[in-house]
Amino acid sequence: MLRVLTLLSAAVLALAACEPAGPQLGPDGKPLPQLYRITSRDAEVIPQRVLESVNSLRAARGTAPLALNDQLTAAAAAHSQDMARQNRPWHWGSDGSSMIDRARRAGYMGQVLGENISETYETEIETLSAWMALPDTRDVILNPAARQMGMAWYQEPTGKIWWTMLTGN
């Protein structure tokens, strides 16, 4: 009987050691961000997931939905990679190009209306939420003149993600 109790106690202790200790906290007392690794399966659904979220936000404002546009997405992808090479989130390409220049290079012939960018470890939905929290980036998403959207990212080996969204009509 003593042997069974000893084994049972050892098993309970072993299982207790496996229990997560909770999220790691940063110096500000908030949980540290978790690494979001974009898999090939995620890559297939991210653009549609963002589009559906954007269109839900637009519908709540009575604004027409957006459609994904391949050329805007290509321009967004090029800018995400370029921001990573420059290691800074900004709206100018390393060659001095603007969002309009990049969209034209990608073959987009419509009017480019806005660009949102982000350097983060957050998911696309967390990034969209952060954009909605600021008036200037929220205006890009909710612009009633917009009819098309491009959404792309570049993820570094470290896990850092460079997000770019373009809107146009």
Side-chain angles (χ1 to χ4, degrees):
M1 180 70 164
L2 182 58
R3 186 175 198 185
V4 172
L5 285 175
T6 303
L7 287 173
L8 186 57
S9 296
V12 168
L13 287 173
L15 287 175
C18 295
E19 195 172 308
Q24 291 184 332
L25 301 179
D28 59 359
K30 294 182 181 177
L32 293 173
Q34 298 296 310
L35 178 62
Y36 174 53
R37 182 68 62 189
I38 299 174
T39 66
S40 57
R41 186 171 175 349
D42 294 327
E44 293 174 10
V45 298
I46 286 172
Q48 190 62 40
R49 192 164 41 219
V50 172
L51 180 67
E52 289 169 3
S53 297
V54 164
N55 284 338
S56 291
L57 294 165
R58 290 174 64 87
R61 297 281 178 104
T63 307
L66 300 181
L68 285 174
N69 178 278
D70 291 340
Q71 290 84 21
L72 287 176
T73 296
H79 191 54
S80 292
Q81 291 174 3
D82 190 43
M83 286 189 298
R85 277 191 300 275
Q86 296 179 70
N87 196 33
R88 66 177 171 179
W90 72 326
H91 293 282
W92 299 101
S94 56
D95 61 356
S97 61
S98 70
M99 62 182 172
I100 296 168
D101 298 328
R102 293 186 296 275
R104 292 286 176 264
R105 283 186 207 150
Y108 186 70
M109 300 314 294
Q111 180 183 15
V112 179
L113 298 174
E115 178 180 67
N116 286 339
I117 58 172
S118 181
E119 168 195 17
T120 185
Y121 290 89
E122 295 178 333
T123 69
E124 64 281 359
I125 300 304
E126 291 168 318
T127 300
L128 179 59
S129 179
W131 286 337
M132 287 299 292
L134 299 171
D136 58 335
T137 50
R138 180 176 50 242
D139 289 349
V140 170
I141 295 165
L142 300 177
N143 184 341
R147 294 292 180 266
Q148 298 173 321
M149 179 185 87
M151 180 72 184
W153 63 90
Y154 175 78
Q155 186 165 36
E156 295 179 358
T158 63
K160 185 189 295 184
I161 307 169
W162 301 83
W163 296 102
T164 304
M165 170 192 279
L166 288 167
T167 59
N169 66 13

